[in-house]
Amino acid sequence: MTSQARQDLAVLTVPAFNDNYLWVIHDGIHAAVVDPGDAGPIRETLAEHHLTLSAILLTHHHADHIGGVPALLAQGSVPVFGPRNDGIEGITQALGEGERIKVPGLDLELEVLEVPGHTLGHIAYVRRTPGAHWLFCGDTLFAGGCGRLFEGTPAQMADSLAKLAALPDDTLVYCAHEYTVSNLRFAQAVEPDNQGLALRMKDASERRGTRLPTVPSTIGLERGTNPFLRYTEPGIVKSLVQAGRLKEGAAPVEAFAALREWKNVF
């Protein structure tokens, strides 16, 4: 039997439930999992790729992101990283804005950003290695959209998204759900003249037609096509006004709030 060879870091896409994505970061030997809402698919992926779990990374407290943690820990204790202020029990290293972690078992350093809105304590993890910019953003930023405001305010979510939008354009966006086509359908309704958006919709529809994931996205692609990063664009503001959802001259945060409320019922 030959020993495993350590590889460059890679990220595996693990579908779960109806539309969740769980992420497995690995080097061919060890693996860290992000938001393991379901232990079963994670165990299968680790076994298939002959990987040993070395850490768990959590972004927020919703069950479809943390539900598989107890079952994974039952197979062996590993560090559990997660937000300091989101009410998750069992975290062994609580994290907040600007902290950096070295992920056990991997040559991987991640920076923590606080991104409240979807939940009040939500965090994201950023890898800033040259040539390999990664973002694990849970349910804050989606491909073509953003998370619902279950706990935070529109101002909080707008600020959180601005923080993510400031990352380098080539940053890969590993979000947690396959919502892209429905998000882009809404985006086209509010910004119908965006040609880049039309191209993105064509590509995403083709990928989903063959059951391929539409993520990861990139920050550059989101900046050009995601209405929740573009809510100050004149065309989007005009659409909100014409739809009777915004008054002329309203503040930008009011436009963001109106956009999110419209998406809720779209």
Side-chain angles (χ1 to χ4, degrees), residues 24-240:
V24 174
I25 311 167
H26 75 96
D27 63 359
I29 300 174
H30 295 110
V33 300
V34 183
D35 285 349
D38 188 355
I42 293 296
R43 284 194 296 246
E44 291 170 8
T45 299
L46 295 176
E48 178 185 350
H49 293 270
H50 308 289
L51 301 171
T52 299
L53 183 64
S54 62
I56 295 171
L57 307 171
L58 305 176
T59 63
H60 68 291
H61 68 76
H62 288 159
D64 61 324
H65 292 254
I66 68 171
V69 173
L72 291 175
L73 293 178
Q75 292 188 299
S77 179
V78 299
V80 180
F81 299 85
R84 179 171 289 115
N85 300 310
D86 215 47
I88 304 175
E89 294 184 5
I91 289 174
T92 59
Q93 187 163 343
L95 301 170
E97 178 72 24
E99 294 187 64
R100 295 178 183 274
I101 61 170
K102 290 189 175 181
V103 179
L106 299 175
D107 182 17
L108 175 63
E109 183 174 288
L110 297 172
E111 179 185 343
V112 177
L113 299 179
E114 292 182 356
V115 285
H118 183 67
T119 69
L120 288 177
H122 203 303
I123 63 172
Y125 299 91
V126 180
R127 183 190 190 195
R128 296 184 184 269
T129 304
H133 297 130
W134 297 350
L135 167 66
F136 298 92
C137 52
D139 287 354
T140 298
L141 175 66
F142 291 132
C146 75
R148 285 178 179 261
L149 305 183
F150 287 123
E151 298 176 12
T153 66
Q156 285 177 314
M157 183 61 105
D159 287 347
S160 294
L161 292 173
K163 190 181 293 186
L164 301 183
L167 295 171
D169 279 358
D170 65 349
T171 302
L172 293 174
V173 178
Y174 292 97
C175 61
H177 288 275
E178 182 58 74
Y179 293 160
T180 310
V181 171
S182 61
N183 284 342
L184 296 182
R185 195 173 293 124
F186 173 70
Q188 286 189 299
V190 299
E191 198 177 14
D193 295 330
N194 185 328
Q195 295 305 307
L197 179 54
L199 290 172
R200 185 179 187 187
M201 175 59 111
K202 182 176 182 293
D203 177 70
S205 298
E206 289 174 353
R207 293 184 71 81
R208 292 311 295 156
T210 54
R211 307 301 296 170
L212 290 172
T214 61
V215 293
S217 171
T218 67
I219 288 295
L221 186 57
E222 297 309 318
R223 286 171 58 87
T225 56
N226 188 325
F228 294 97
L229 303 187
R230 299 172 58 78
Y231 61 93
T232 59
E233 290 292 321
I236 292 179
V237 172
K238 180 181 177 182
S239 291
L240 288 166

Side-chain angles (χ1 to χ4, degrees), residues 17-32:
F17 307 119
N18 291 327
D19 51 37
N20 281 71
Y21 288 131
L22 322 179
W23 302 107
V24 174
I25 311 167
H26 75 96
D27 63 359
I29 300 174
H30 295 110

